[in-house]
């Protein structure tokens, strides 16, 4: 539980860390601004940090600009496979799912897992069955596929050898979405949702939906959401790594930057992170040329495509 004292809410979102091309900047900025607006609405209507991160992520899952929900990257078989996690910093309850193919908003199902199940993580068909039992409608996988991504996969697969040489280069798109929030009760939460990496092997899970890797929240440390090349992020359990540095007295701004630096120096990874503690202090960091981000507090509202 929080301190019981009224807090000033804070919301931070990201829409993926990579070399976002100039002609896609506006769409990314719009997307993160819309996500901030939805999350903030939840907070100002008395919603919890969990409500805020869920609503913010739903907006970005619904926005085809991002690699989450409809419009996600396709896997090697030409299918969309989605992963998501949501976590409550007050109770450490979490809901995660991986490799789902028939959910428009995996984060909604993740929230149901958090609230309604004594399990923490579901995959594939079992995850979809659980969601359906909870009243979440299932869609067809084709409903999640858009022509842009069919073309992208075709292009990628026809130049596989070139891509293999530069696999996971920061220029490759990483449009995962995430949000962290602090509510008026002093509780923090985090959520991350993704379609994973382009041309991934069916069944591959990245960092995004794994507790402590792509997403983490604990009132006593911090809430974090990451984006970027998932395999190196997983190896470092990076979200928890950063949150622990906040617990040992470092400011989130420093801890986020340090985590992204560690990702580079330890495993030659690249990516980005948003990090927020229960005092409302936050950090936004990325080692890719760009990362879409948005922030709102009771005093400020900002969005950007690059963090100095
Ligand atoms: N981290 C995600 C993954 O590896 C990709 C991304 O951030 O876009 O699945």
């Amino acid at each position: 539980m929080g301190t019981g004292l009224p807090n000033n809410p804070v919301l931070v979102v990201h829409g993926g860390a990579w070399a976002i091309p100039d002609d896609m900047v506006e769409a990314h900025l719009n997307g993160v601004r819309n996500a901030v607006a939805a999350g903030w609405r939840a907070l100002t209507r008395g919603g919890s940090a969990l409500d805020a991160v869920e609503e913010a992520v739903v907006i970005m899952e619904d926005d085809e600009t991002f690699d989450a929900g409809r419009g996600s990257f396709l896997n090697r078989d030409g299918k969309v496979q989605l992963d998501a996690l949501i976590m409550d910093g007050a109770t450490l309850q979490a809901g995660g799912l991986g490799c789902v193919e028939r959910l428009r908003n995996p984060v909604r199902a993740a929230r149901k897992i958090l609230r309604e199940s004594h399990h923490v993580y579901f995959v594939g068909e079992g995850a979809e069955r659980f969601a359906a039992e909870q009243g979440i409608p299932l869609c067809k996988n084709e409903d999640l596929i858009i022509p842009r991504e069919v073309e992208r996969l075709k292009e990628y697969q026809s130049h596989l050898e070139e891509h293999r040489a530069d696999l996971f280069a920061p220029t490759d798109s990483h449009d995962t979405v995430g949000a962290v929030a602090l509510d008026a009760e002093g509780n923090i939460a985090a959520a991350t949702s993704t379609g994973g990496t382009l041309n991934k092997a069916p069944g591959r899970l990245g960092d995004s939906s794994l507790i402590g890797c792509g997403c983490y929240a604990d009132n006593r440390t911090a809430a974090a959401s990451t984006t970027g090349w998932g395999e190196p992020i997983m190896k470092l359990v990076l979200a928890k790594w950063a949150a622990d540095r906040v617990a040992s007295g470092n400011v989130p701004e420093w801890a986020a930057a340090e985590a992204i630096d560690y990702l580079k120096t330890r495993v030659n990874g690249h990516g980005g992170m948003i990090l927020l503690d229960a005092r409302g202090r936050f950090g936004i960091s990325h080692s890719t040329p760009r990362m879409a981000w948005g922030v709102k507090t009771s005093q400020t509202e900002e969005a950007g495509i690059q963090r100095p």
Side-chain angles (χ1 to χ4, degrees):
M1 289 299 287
T3 57
L5 299 170
N7 275 266
N8 282 326
V10 179
L11 175 67
V12 187
V13 308
H14 73 78
W18 59 292
I20 301 168
D22 289 344
D23 63 351
M24 291 178 74
V25 163
E26 217 34 58
H28 280 76
L29 284 174
N30 278 339
V32 292
R33 284 190 185 116
N34 290 338
V36 165
W40 194 256
R41 239 181 343 261
L43 285 171
T44 50
R45 286 178 183 161
S48 64
L50 269 178
D51 295 328
V53 295
E54 179 182 352
E55 295 312 320
V57 165
V58 161
I59 294 291
M60 293 186 281
E61 287 177 337
D62 287 343
D63 185 334
E64 291 173 11
T65 305
F66 301 106
D67 176 32
R70 184 176 150 83
S72 285
F73 290 151
L74 303 181
N75 71 9
R76 205 171 61 194
D77 290 351
K79 280 189 157 186
V80 166
Q81 271 193 339
L82 305 170
D83 314 323
L85 184 86
I86 189 164
M87 187 160 179
D88 179 10
T91 61
L92 301 189
Q93 282 180 301
L97 39 81
C99 299
V100 293
E101 298 182 355
R102 295 189 297 156
L103 290 170
R104 283 184 184 276
N105 294 110
V107 75
R108 290 251 189 257
R111 180 78 189 271
K112 286 280 189 195
I113 294 168
L114 180 153
R115 209 171 17 203
E116 307 296 341
S117 176
H118 59 275
H119 299 312
V120 170
Y121 204 99
F122 284 78
V123 294
E125 228 180 284
E128 290 164 0
R129 199 188 308 169
F130 175 84
E133 283 163 8
Q134 295 296 321
I136 296 180
L138 300 182
C139 64
K140 296 206 217 60
N141 194 253
E142 301 87 82
D143 297 338
L144 303 173
I145 299 175
I146 62 171
R148 179 193 71 206
E149 294 308 321
V150 175
E151 276 313 302
R152 197 201 297 271
L153 183 69
K154 215 186 287 169
E155 199 284 329
Y156 190 92
Q157 291 185 335
S158 62
H159 296 93
L160 212 51
E161 281 316 309
E162 287 156 52
H163 287 301
R164 223 189 291 279
D166 202 14
L167 197 61
F168 306 118
T171 43
D172 282 352
S173 172
H174 288 294
D175 263 331
T176 290
V177 305
V180 292
L182 165 68
D183 63 28
E185 301 291 320
N187 294 317
I188 54 176
T192 307
S193 182
T194 190
T197 48
L198 177 60
N199 197 44
K200 66 185 178 181
R204 175 263 186 194
L205 259 185
D207 61 306
S208 308
S209 65
L210 297 179
I211 290 186
C213 298
C215 187
Y216 193 70
D218 181 351
N219 278 5
R220 296 185 187 178
T221 62
S225 174
T226 68
T227 167
W229 178 14
E231 279 72 4
I233 295 173
M234 286 156 73
K235 291 174 191 166
L236 300 180
V237 197
L238 200 65
K240 176 80 160 64
W241 188 96
D244 285 348
R245 260 121 206 110
V246 176
S248 28
N250 299 292
V251 293
E253 196 179 351
W254 180 89
E258 204 59 19
I260 295 305
D261 190 50
Y262 180 48
L263 179 64
K264 175 78 193 152
T265 55
R266 185 67 183 93
V267 284
N268 198 26
H270 61 262
M273 174 181 286
I274 53 176
L275 187 65
L276 169 72
D277 72 5
R279 291 161 64 181
R281 305 177 302 174
F282 63 86
I284 300 172
S285 185
H286 58 100
S287 53
T288 45
R290 285 172 164 165
M291 178 173 85
W293 59 271
V295 176
K296 190 158 168 63
T297 70
S298 25
Q299 286 89 35
T300 58
E301 178 164 4
E302 267 186 280
I305 209 73
Q306 203 174 346
R307 202 66 184 173

